[in-house]
Amino acid sequence: MTRIVIIGGGPGGYEAALVAAQLGAEVTVVEREGPGGACVLTDCVPSKTMIATSVRKQALLDGTSLGVHYTGGADGDVGGVHADMPLVNKRVKELARAQSADISSRLVAEGVEVVQAAGRLVDPRIVRAGDRTISADVVIVATGATPRVLPGAEPDGERVLTWRQLYDLDELPEHLIVVGSGVTGAEFAGAYRSLGSEVTLVSSRDRMMPNEDADAAEVLEEVYRRRGMNVMGKSRASSVKRTADGVVVTLEDGRTAEGSHCLMTVGMVPNTSGIGLEEAGVTLDRNGFIQVDKVSRTSAPGVYAAGDCTGVLMLASVAAMQGRIAVWHALGEAVQPIRLATVASTIFTDPEIAAVGISQQQIESGEIEANIVKLPLATNARAKMQGFNDGFVKLFCRPHTGIVLGGVVVAPRASELILALSLAVQHRLTVDQLAHTFAVYPSLSGSITEAARRLMMPGTSTLI
């Protein structure tokens, strides 16, 4: 029986463990924090739980446009709707622990041994887990990553925070300064603004989310400004200092921003230091990420890696797929190398932004030839009924064959709507096939089939 030891119990680790157990391997997961890892206990699950609360509150505040009015405000909050942050954070933590417990139960039910300890490689076939030494035929490293800390802006857990420390606050920040306008910064900035905080978003680039679809970022920034957020573009932070009752963020150009709290969202660093990787022959890149091929192999025979510690698209879904692929390859199963071009991603802002496949930037640069259609959500009947005015559906296809190459959805629940486009990209469906698929009327998904119909004519390229 093949013996597999997995260091790290996040999505890359526990999904690999489940597949390995189902294929008959003897599996041990070594995880310091608990099943689910940081993804479940401190990062993805808690953040999206809190964001769900903020979206619900924003929907109540927006209800006036649908004829719903709230009176008798609490503490002057708009519309009489306020967030009970101790209760919100209690729910966040309890849900995260419950999700971790569910994963633990599943692992135990499948016969996986879980060791709660810090793991490190002694050599490619031996893992040290606390006081225990475990021999392995295959090792999978899935140790994740940690919030990056900038010199001069070190978190103190009280006023200067990483997103892992937010849920320990006793009250809603009066004025939250978010440093970093990537995906994480955009998500938390929007959530806290909807919950009732004054928010200043400090972006080092000329727009929010510079690596995402430009049209989508523009829509979201417009929504944020309309809700009262102060978005500071081309404003790189140089230091964050505590004051008597808050923080001061100093920018490189000498300007300052003052608030009650500061949230640092300036990237991630891999958890690869001090766990014996280089000594075991595992190659790291200059940023400390584990170098892997498309079937998750590292440079050390028998050692695989999955998840954020590899730096390959820091998404839970990608980590899980990397872990599964590692097991399938290690156990000699038929396996396809990971195809990053088919990965669907979502930014859990309000509205959400989801994308799959190629980008419009690749089309505009001449890298890929494709036709484009963009339909504003405001023309969709269901969106009108629900009062959704911001967002769009964008679809890309090959000019002659009509094969769907990708798309972007900006809408409430875009994370669910993107599945149709993801299936189309994965299975090389054409816009004709999408267009001839029934969509419910009225529905937001109807905009996807409508976009496909508009692309059925050869040479079509429409941006509305």
Side-chain angles (χ1 to χ4, degrees):
M1 180 182 292
T2 303
R3 172 80 162 165
I4 297 179
V5 177
I6 301 168
I7 306 175
Y14 76 74
E15 288 286 350
L18 291 171
V19 171
Q22 289 163 0
L23 291 174
E26 184 180 354
V27 187
T28 298
V29 173
V30 180
E31 166 57 46
R32 179 177 56 190
E33 298 182 17
C39 173
V40 168
L41 291 168
T42 61
D43 293 357
C44 183
V45 169
S47 66
K48 277 48 177 181
T49 303
M50 190 200 73
I51 288 168
T53 298
S54 73
V55 171
R56 186 67 62 88
K57 184 189 173 190
Q58 188 63 50
L60 291 172
L61 297 178
D62 292 341
T64 54
S65 64
L66 277 69
V68 179
H69 299 275
Y70 293 86
T71 58
D75 300 325
D77 207 340
V78 178
V81 182
H82 73 286
D84 183 340
M85 289 311 294
L87 183 59
V88 171
N89 289 336
K90 179 175 181 288
R91 177 175 180 267
V92 165
K93 292 178 181 179
E94 288 179 348
L95 194 149
R97 287 193 293 267
Q99 184 68 12
S100 178
D102 287 345
I103 294 168
S104 178
S105 298
R106 176 79 189 281
L107 291 171
V108 170
E110 295 290 343
V112 175
E113 179 188 24
V114 179
V115 178
Q116 187 160 2
R120 70 183 310 275
L121 278 176
V122 177
D123 66 35
R125 294 291 185 271
I126 299 176
V127 172
R128 186 76 175 169
D131 298 330
R132 183 176 166 191
T133 300
I134 308 171
S135 297
D137 300 305
V138 174
V139 174
I140 301 174
V141 181
T143 48
T146 300
R148 181 175 169 231
V149 174
L150 293 182
E154 292 82 3
D156 59 19
E158 296 177 353
R159 295 287 181 175
V160 185
L161 309 155
T162 70
W163 58 88
R164 293 180 178 177
Q165 299 167 327
L166 287 170
Y167 314 112
D168 293 325
L169 295 179
D170 294 329
E171 58 186 16
L172 189 70
E174 181 181 344
H175 185 166
L176 180 66
I177 301 175
V178 180
V179 176
S181 65
V183 170
T184 302
E187 288 183 346
F188 278 109
Y192 274 92
R193 181 67 197 113
S194 292
L195 288 171
S197 295
E198 291 297 320
V199 174
T200 296
L201 180 60
V202 177
S203 172
S204 62
R205 307 286 283 275
D206 58 353
R207 67 172 174 85
M208 291 172 49
M209 301 183 299
N211 297 321
E212 308 302 324
D213 182 86
D215 291 337
E218 182 180 344
V219 168
L220 190 64
E221 186 165 333
E222 181 181 335
V223 170
Y224 279 3
R225 291 184 187 276
R226 190 170 68 235
R227 290 176 181 168
M229 187 184 300
N230 178 23
V231 181
M232 301 177 67
K234 297 181 180 178
S235 305
R236 187 178 295 275
S238 61
S239 68
V240 181
K241 302 296 182 184
R242 286 192 62 165
T243 63
D245 57 357
V247 295
V248 173
V249 177
T250 302
L251 308 179
E252 287 185 347
D253 61 9
R255 291 178 297 158
T256 59
E258 297 186 26
S260 63
H261 298 76
C262 178
L263 172 63
M264 301 299 297
T265 62
V266 289
M268 301 280 281
V269 293
N271 297 327
T272 55
S273 176
I275 59 172
L277 295 176
E278 292 176 293
E279 295 85 344
V282 176
T283 300
L284 309 180
D285 69 13
R286 62 187 180 88
N287 294 314
F289 291 100
I290 301 172
Q291 293 187 327
V292 293
D293 62 14
K294 292 187 177 182
V295 291
S296 304
R297 288 179 298 191
T298 72
S299 56
V303 179
Y304 295 74
D308 289 358
C309 63
T310 69
V312 178
L313 289 185
M314 291 189 176
L315 299 171
S317 58
V318 173
M321 186 60 74
Q322 284 181 293
R324 297 184 199 108
I325 287 173
V327 169
W328 288 326
H329 187 271
L331 296 181
E333 296 290 316
V335 60
Q336 288 187 344
I338 193 166
R339 295 176 58 201
L340 298 180
T342 65
V343 173
S345 63
T346 296
I347 304 167
F348 288 87
T349 47
D350 181 21
E352 294 178 354
I353 299 171
V356 66
I358 68 168
S359 67
Q360 186 167 337
Q361 194 278 330
Q362 288 176 291
I363 300 170
E364 293 175 345
S365 68
E367 178 184 345
I368 297 173
E369 185 180 5
N371 290 336
I372 308 170
V373 156
K374 186 178 82 170
L375 298 181
L377 204 64
T379 64
N380 179 287
R382 184 70 183 278
K384 291 176 183 177
M385 296 169 190
Q386 296 185 300
F388 301 147
N389 299 312
D390 303 294
F392 59 80
V393 169
K394 188 187 293 186
L395 194 58
F396 313 128
C397 77
R398 292 200 180 279
H400 304 297
T401 63
I403 292 173
V404 177
L405 297 177
V408 181
V409 179
V410 181
R413 301 286 182 173
S415 51
E416 310 294 343
L417 294 170
I418 199 65
L419 179 61
L421 298 185
S422 187
L423 281 168
V425 171
Q426 177 73 30
H427 297 287
R428 296 177 59 81
L429 302 181
T430 66
V431 290
D432 294 58
Q433 289 171 311
L434 268 184
H436 286 91
T437 300
F438 278 99
V440 171
Y441 182 87
S443 70
L444 298 184
S445 58
S447 286
I448 294 175
T449 54
E450 173 63 21
R453 282 192 290 275
R454 301 224 184 168
L455 280 172
M456 286 176 67
M457 296 299 294
T460 299
S461 189
T462 306
L463 294 177
I464 301 175

